[in-house]
Every structure is written in C-alpha cells, then in structure tokens.
Amino acid sequence: MTFIQELYKKRSNYSDPDQATMQENSLEKLSSGIYTEGERFIFELLQNAVDAHSASNCLNVSICIQDGYLVFMHNGDAFTNEDIEGICFVGRKGEKVRNAKKIGYKGIGFKSVFGISSKVYIHTANQCFRFDKDYWRTYWNEHWSPSFGPKPADLSPYTMPWQVIPIESEVPICIDEKNANVATYIAIDPEDEQKLADSVKGLMQSCRFLIFLKDNNIKMSFTYHGNMKCSIEKRTLNGEIVLYLNGIEDSRWMVYKNSEVPLNLTEDQKRRIEKHKSTPDKLKNATSFDLSFAIAIEDGKLKKANNAVLYTYLPTSYSFGEGFPFLVNANFITDEGRQHLDTDAEWNKVLISKIPEEYLKWVASFSKKYSNYYKVLPKKSYGSTNDLLKVYEEG
C-alpha cells in the first residue's frame, strides 16, 4: 500500500455520517471564508512555493489555464510525506508551523483553493493525488449501517470531508510541467474561466508583491490557452531589487532587512502575547523579529510610495491612513486570509512600536547620499483611532 493509499484509508475512516458531514461543512465554510477576493488563492500557492524553495537558483513559477484547469507549477522542493500529510490536515504542527522564518503558520492556506474548486490535483515527484467532492457523493449510500438507524430515502445531505482525503490519481491533462517539482491542477467552471483569467492577470500587474519574498530572484508567468498574458520578475542587482513587468523595468527599490530586531519585552507584554489566542506558538517565545523596509528609486532619487499597505511578506489590506511613504514588512499576526491585521494583538503592537526608530536610523544612514530623503519621512501621527496607530504615535 502506498503512502497516499494509507493516508486515504486513515482520513476516510468515519463511522458516523453526521460527524463526517459536520467536518465537511466546517471545511467548506473555512475554504470560502479564507479570502474575500477569490483570486488571492494565488498568494497562498505562491507562499507555499517560496517556503519550499531551498535552492540558490531562481524560483520559477508558471501559471496557465487550459483544458478546464488552472495549473500552478513551481521548482521548489518536491513534497515530503510530511508535507502531504500537512495538506490533508487543518493546522498540522509541522516544520512550517515551528519555523518562525517560514511565511505560513496556520496550516489552512492551501484550503483556499477549495473556495473556487471542488476537484484539485497535486503532482509532485512520482506521486499524484486529488481531492474530489464528486467522488464521495454516493459514499453513504454504499456504506450505510443499520446502527445509524433507518436508511433515509434521500442521502444527499450526508457528505464526506473530501478536502482532507487524498485519492491516488493520474495527472488530469497533458501539459508541459516545465521541470516543475510541484504542479497543482485546479478544475474550474467554464463559465468562470475568463473572469478568473482576468483576475490572475490583474493580480500580477502589480508586481511589487514580490519585493519581500525571501528569494532574491523570482520569475512568474501566466499563459491562457497557450498565449502569454503576463510575466513578472524580481532581480536583486547591486543591493537593489528591480521588478520587471513583461520584460520591461517596472520599478526599482532600495531595501533594508533586519531579521534580528530585539523585542526587549516587558513582563506585561510577555503576558499579553502569551494570553492572546491568535498568537502562534512559534512567536510566543521569540526574542526578536523580522523587519524590512523598501523605498522606491526613480531617476536616482527617492520616490514616495502611494497608498502603501503593510506586508506580511505578501501584501495585506492594512494601511496607516493614506499609508506610509515607504513599504513595511514584518511577521505581523493577521486573519486567516492574511489580509487584515489583528489590531488587538500585543505582538502587532510591539512590532509597530519598533518601526519609527528602526526606520529613522536607516534614513539617517543614506540621508547624505539622497538629498531628497525628506520625501520618504513618515508623519509623526496617522491618528489614534486604534491601538496600532497609538503605539506608532508613541514610538
């Protein structure tokens, strides 16, 4: 019996149809609620690719839509059995959850793909498996036991948690995987295909979401029925990050990174961090955190960022009023969709309070080189309508 077959048997071992249905309903609500913007599931797949990429070469990501599937491929490391088991779980405390340097930690991100599809294949190394809602439609008709009570005439309300049960499969369509180590095939409704294609292309038009991802060099492409629709690239050149859209330079960024900003927590702060239920375990015992800034450079001068949001490696939707004139990245605590910051989390308050001093020290270091440094100075206050704004103002 293969590992996938063993996992299938383990994950489908339900003796109570009500319990199985309740689990499926919970996963359905989780999948549809992770993101309010459907196409942002691409960010979840990208995050997984980044976390899996351990080589020094360029991270290559290819997205294509053809033959009824959206296919997301990358050259990150192939799945281990632990990775596969984690995909078939909710909140599995694997290596990503333990490692504070990994982007993900909640163990639910992949479930976002089920918000748009009920049939998803994963091909990695020599293994291929799928999650398939239709496969289970007649399951309880065939497995109803007299111990459950009289068999209902209509069994359609009873389901199985298909989102966590892998089915050993073959790759669904013939496609050039371009030497990818992981390829995810997401079945899509023909009626939604064009809208999804437009959404993916639109998401990639703003390529600055690549800036804070750990890889120095990243290439992403999107093809629709064999036609290239968009390509973006991140290159690290002479200490600067240069972004390209369709082969043309889009923007250039000066970046500051400090992966060991000391927290210096008071006993009261430690207690509040420990008490807060949304704070992951890997942060509760941390003594430092990651903090990065990015400033745009245009024609040799610093350029103010417009409507800048805060990043947790990928962009959130949270900004300070009209936003800082620069970009900020840190391992903030967010909601499940990583779009909204938790404004009550003590961890976030501590991180925000450290931004002013850390940023101004950096500005001081290049203020003689760039005479218009004042263009990228933040306001002393962006208001005080929530606790994050208050701690920033105090800082």
Side-chain angles (χ1 to χ4, degrees):
M1 186 178 292
T2 66
F3 177 77
I4 298 297
Q5 290 169 340
E6 290 177 356
L7 197 55
Y8 168 94
K9 184 177 180 181
K10 182 179 178 181
R11 290 285 185 268
S12 60
N13 185 24
Y14 281 88
S15 58
D16 183 342
D18 285 331
Q19 185 180 25
T21 301
M22 181 172 61
Q23 178 76 349
E24 195 278 337
N25 288 341
S26 298
L27 289 168
E28 188 78 29
K29 291 181 184 300
L30 174 66
S31 299
S32 61
I34 288 178
Y35 279 137
T36 55
E37 299 172 17
E39 73 277 4
R40 282 180 63 107
F41 75 91
I42 295 293
F43 280 172
E44 285 295 342
L45 297 177
L46 176 59
Q47 169 225 295
N48 290 342
V50 170
D51 280 342
H53 190 235
S54 58
S56 58
N57 62 331
C58 179
L59 172 63
N60 285 298
V61 175
S62 299
I63 306 170
C64 70
I65 291 179
Q66 70 175 64
D67 301 330
Y69 286 86
L70 182 148
V71 188
F72 187 101
M73 303 170 279
H74 65 82
N75 65 337
D77 295 343
F79 278 20
T80 63
N81 286 348
E82 183 184 21
D83 293 329
I84 295 172
E85 195 162 12
I87 285 285
C88 303
F89 204 85
V90 177
R92 167 65 73 194
K93 294 186 179 299
E95 194 274 337
K96 185 182 290 191
V97 175
R98 297 187 298 267
N99 188 342
K101 302 303 180 185
K102 297 289 187 181
I103 301 174
Y105 61 83
K106 298 193 178 194
I108 60 173
F110 182 79
K111 307 299 184 291
S112 63
V113 301
F114 301 132
I116 66 161
S117 178
S118 58
K119 184 182 290 185
V120 178
Y121 293 74
I122 296 177
H123 182 212
T124 178
N126 61 347
Q127 300 185 88
C128 183
F129 56 96
R130 77 182 190 274
F131 304 97
D132 187 351
K133 186 175 184 177
D134 287 342
Y135 178 89
W136 301 98
R137 291 197 183 279
T138 62
Y139 180 82
W140 289 112
N141 186 55
E142 300 163 1
H143 293 81
W144 193 268
S145 168
S147 64
F148 303 155
K151 188 176 182 178
D154 181 13
L155 286 170
S156 59
Y158 294 97
T159 57
M160 284 285 281
W162 57 273
Q163 302 95 328
V164 293
I165 308 175
I167 304 167
E168 200 164 57
S169 309
E170 298 291 331
V171 176
I173 60 175
C174 183
I175 192 173
D176 179 8
E177 293 189 359
K178 302 177 182 178
N179 299 314
N181 292 320
V182 180
T184 302
Y185 294 75
I186 303 169
I188 54 178
D189 190 319
E191 293 183 1
D192 298 331
E193 184 179 285
Q194 185 61 57
K195 180 181 178 181
L196 183 59
D198 292 341
S199 295
V200 173
K201 182 180 177 181
L203 192 72
M204 291 178 63
Q205 292 295 315
S206 179
C207 48
R208 69 184 194 183
F209 66 78
L210 298 175
I211 290 175
F212 294 115
L213 296 177
K214 68 169 184 172
D215 293 274
N216 290 329
N217 300 288
I218 302 174
K219 291 182 179 180
M220 289 185 69
S221 64
F222 172 52
T223 57
Y224 185 50
H225 293 294
N227 298 314
M228 178 67 70
K229 292 297 181 181
C230 186
S231 67
I232 58 177
E233 186 176 357
K234 169 188 174 181
R235 296 183 197 169
T236 303
L237 302 170
N238 301 319
E240 294 179 354
I241 288 177
V242 186
L243 302 179
Y244 297 85
L245 176 61
N246 297 324
I248 300 172
E249 183 173 324
D250 176 81
S251 56
R252 186 175 293 258
W253 300 81
M254 179 170 61
V255 177
Y256 167 88
K257 297 179 182 180
N258 186 347
S259 59
E260 300 293 337
V261 179
L263 287 167
N264 298 325
L265 299 173
T266 65
E267 290 303 317
D268 185 55
Q269 287 173 325
K270 290 178 183 178
R271 180 183 62 80
R272 291 176 183 274
I273 288 173
E274 178 67 33
K275 184 179 179 181
H276 190 70
K277 63 181 181 180
S278 297
T279 304
D281 290 341
K282 70 180 182 180
L283 299 182
K284 288 181 178 179
N285 297 316
T287 57
S288 63
F289 70 98
D290 291 341
L291 182 62
S292 307
F293 305 120
I295 298 174
I297 301 174
E298 189 175 88
D299 299 326
K301 293 185 177 181
L302 304 181
K303 180 183 177 183
K304 176 183 177 181
N306 294 317
N307 302 316
V309 297
L310 299 184
Y311 283 60
T312 55
Y313 306 98
L314 288 163
T316 71
S317 61
Y318 188 89
S319 65
F320 274 28
E322 73 274 23
F324 290 131
F326 55 96
L327 305 185
V328 179
N329 173 69
N331 41 347
F332 297 111
I333 297 171
T334 66
D335 64 353
E336 284 77 4
R338 274 206 297 277
Q339 289 177 272
H340 307 289
L341 262 64
D342 187 336
T343 57
D344 294 324
E346 186 68 21
W347 173 268
N348 286 345
K349 295 174 190 177
V350 173
L351 267 55
I352 293 290
S353 73
K354 302 287 185 179
I355 289 174
E357 182 176 3
E358 197 76 12
Y359 181 70
L360 291 176
K361 284 181 179 178
W362 183 42
V363 173
S365 71
F366 60 71
S367 58
K368 290 185 178 180
K369 179 179 179 181
Y370 294 98
S371 60
N372 72 327
Y373 70 88
Y374 56 89
K375 293 282 189 181
V376 293
L377 290 178
K379 291 182 179 181
K380 290 183 180 181
S381 174
Y382 288 86
S384 55
T385 54
N386 64 52
D387 288 344
L388 296 186
L389 293 171
K390 290 176 183 177
V391 295
Y392 167 80
E393 188 176 52
E394 291 168 5

